[in-house]
Amino acid sequence: MQYRTLGRTGVHVSSLALGTMNFGRIGRTTQDDATAIVDAALEGGVNLIDTADLYGGGESEEMVGKAIAGRRDDIVLATKAAMPMGDERNHRGGSRRWLVTELDNSLRRLGVDHVDLYQIHRWDPSTSDEETLSALTDLRRAGKIRYFGSSTYPAYRIVQAQWAAHLHHLGRYVTEQPSYSILQRGIETHVLPVSEQYGLGVLAWSPLASGWLSGAVREGREVTTNRSQLMPERFDTTLAANRARLDAVERLAGIADEAGLTMIQLALGFVTAHPAVTSALIGPRTLDHLHAQLAAADTVLSADVLDAIDAVVAPGTDLAAHEKLDTPPALLDPSLRRR
């Protein structure tokens, strides 16, 4: 396992981090499954565990808390808030009112008195940066969080938040958690350069592109992954975008074979090769998944292999741009772009 400094914090984290979205109902994992995965991940050198209040409606946090009991100080623990937690309109977003309340809920579910990294799961356009950063700064001063970061922010919002922190003398985001994989490279255009400019640690989620790069999705093979059952439209190869992904996967499989690598090693080695990326978040649902992903911990891709990947998916290109979750609101709501 490689270790890297998380932005400018001085905290050293593993280049592969354990994402726990699959803990509980989403991945159909039991507490015993989750504990076994955490045990094996820590034994394999992982020291960063990432969860969120949203995952299973708090179930993932509860499972993580039980799995890390007695060894909290050996783990860099991260969670997230801001996504809707039920139908109540104020149980979401980046307001002080909600973040103060929901952090206490997360700490209770995790069974800890603080988290190392508290992340705003998505930018909340209805709340000012000053409001959110002020609340996070106070929570840090109270000792309930050590650092705070953003997740899936467009580049211009990352910049705006940095300037708001400077202008109002508040704490700043020290990390960004974007989606990044060989098939989704759009963040190379703006998000990763901005993250480097401001010294942010980058925790890349979905480095296996929702399983497209796991080796389980190939031409002529029935797709039976858990993710394909949850989101079948993303794996329907009669759709043009998915056809393009499958064509790319077939070419990438040839590159992996020639380099003597698994598809997982190729995919994770690609993400962790970018100088802006601190860690790739793996999200295993089973121990077998975890071991296959940990096998990529020391993978270093040669320049020839990286060049070959560039020839399949050009730098800065998203093969499924419609699945991006950082789209500016004005592109989704017509009323915001019309007088």
Side-chain angles (χ1 to χ4, degrees), residues 4 152 176-193 196 202-210 213 266-282 306 309-310 313-318 324-326:
R4 297 162 178 183
T152 321
E176 163 60 15
Q177 187 177 135
S179 172
Y180 184 44
S181 72
I182 294 175
L183 302 182
Q184 295 284 72
R185 302 183 60 174
I187 66 167
E188 293 173 347
T189 304
H190 299 297
V191 171
L192 291 183
E196 286 187 287
V202 173
L203 308 175
W205 60 269
S206 200
L208 298 183
S210 297
L213 298 172
L266 186 78
L268 294 180
F270 167 83
V271 169
T272 56
H274 196 290
V277 173
T278 310
S279 302
L281 286 163
I282 56 175
L306 291 170
I309 292 172
D310 286 349
V313 181
T317 300
D318 289 319
K324 298 287 285 183
L325 298 174
D326 60 355

Side-chain angles (χ1 to χ4, degrees), residues 12 17 33 56 72 113 133 167 171 184 191 210 244 250 275 284 294 310:
H12 293 176
D33 295 330
R72 165 68 183 90
D113 62 3
L133 292 170
L167 180 64
Q184 295 284 72
V191 171
S210 297
E250 288 301 305
L294 287 179
D310 286 349

Side-chain angles (χ1 to χ4, degrees), residues 2-336:
Q2 305 171 48
Y3 296 88
R4 297 162 178 183
T5 305
L6 186 62
R8 295 171 180 165
T9 67
V11 177
H12 293 176
V13 297
S14 46
S15 59
L16 296 182
L18 179 62
T20 62
M21 187 177 73
N22 278 320
F23 285 11
R25 70 191 71 166
I26 295 176
R28 303 193 301 275
T29 52
T30 66
Q31 181 63 56
D32 287 344
D33 295 330
T35 299
I37 289 171
V38 169
D39 288 345
L42 296 180
E43 185 177 347
V46 170
N47 74 340
L48 170 60
I49 297 178
D50 178 81
T51 184
D53 60 352
L54 178 71
Y55 301 160
E59 191 177 16
S60 173
E61 288 183 323
E62 291 175 355
M63 287 186 166
V64 168
K66 292 175 182 176
I68 66 172
R71 48 191 175 182
R72 165 68 183 90
D73 291 342
D74 298 330
I75 295 163
V76 178
L77 182 60
T79 192
K80 298 182 283 293
M83 298 290 275
M85 292 292 285
D87 295 330
E88 164 55 45
R89 68 185 63 216
N90 286 313
H91 288 185
R92 66 191 69 187
S95 70
R96 173 182 291 273
R97 181 182 188 274
W98 177 237
L99 293 178
V100 170
T101 297
E102 186 60 354
L103 176 60
D104 283 342
N105 291 337
S106 288
L107 295 178
R108 172 179 48 79
R109 288 188 290 258
L110 288 163
V112 299
D113 62 3
H114 75 280
V115 292
D116 297 297
L117 179 63
Y118 198 47
Q119 301 156 101
I120 303 301
H121 211 153
R122 296 289 186 272
W123 169 52
D124 173 13
S126 66
T127 306
S128 70
D129 290 309
E130 181 184 3
E131 165 83 1
T132 300
L133 292 170
S134 176
L136 293 170
T137 300
D138 287 347
L139 290 171
R140 186 182 65 184
R141 288 171 178 158
K144 294 184 176 183
I145 62 179
R146 297 295 185 257
Y147 307 98
F148 45 90
S150 57
S151 177
T152 321
Y153 271 36
Y156 77 99
R157 294 308 317 173
I158 296 173
V159 174
Q160 183 63 28
Q162 294 291 317
W163 274 101
H166 176 74
L167 180 64
H168 299 290
H169 307 288
L170 298 169
R172 70 184 191 97
Y173 294 133
V174 300
T175 60
E176 163 60 15
Q177 187 177 135
S179 172
Y180 184 44
S181 72
I182 294 175
L183 302 182
Q184 295 284 72
R185 302 183 60 174
I187 66 167
E188 293 173 347
T189 304
H190 299 297
V191 171
L192 291 183
V194 163
S195 296
E196 286 187 287
Q197 177 69 32
Y198 286 100
L200 303 184
V202 173
L203 308 175
W205 60 269
S206 200
L208 298 183
S210 297
W212 276 93
L213 298 172
S214 67
V217 181
R218 295 294 304 275
E219 183 72 69
R221 183 184 302 173
E222 182 182 2
V223 183
T224 59
T225 63
N226 186 61
R227 191 60 60 88
S228 69
Q229 305 307 310
L230 293 173
M231 298 180 292
E233 71 285 352
R234 291 196 178 190
F235 296 85
D236 181 355
T237 54
T238 65
L239 301 178
N242 294 334
R243 186 70 240 174
R245 277 193 283 201
L246 185 58
D247 291 344
V249 166
E250 288 301 305
R251 295 174 65 189
L252 292 168
I255 295 171
D257 287 343
E258 187 173 343
L261 301 169
T262 65
M263 282 290 285
I264 290 174
Q265 288 175 315
L266 186 78
L268 294 180
F270 167 83
V271 169
T272 56
H274 196 290
V277 173
T278 310
S279 302
L281 286 163
I282 56 175
R285 191 172 60 83
T286 68
L287 274 175
D288 286 343
H289 291 166
L290 174 67
H291 291 310
Q293 292 161 16
L294 287 179
D298 59 355
T299 299
V300 178
L301 303 184
S302 68
D304 288 346
V305 170
L306 291 170
D307 288 343
I309 292 172
D310 286 349
V312 175
V313 181
T317 300
D318 289 319
L319 291 190
H322 61 289
E323 294 177 7
K324 298 287 285 183
L325 298 174
D326 60 355
T327 303
L331 298 186
L332 302 175
D333 182 353
S335 68
L336 298 177

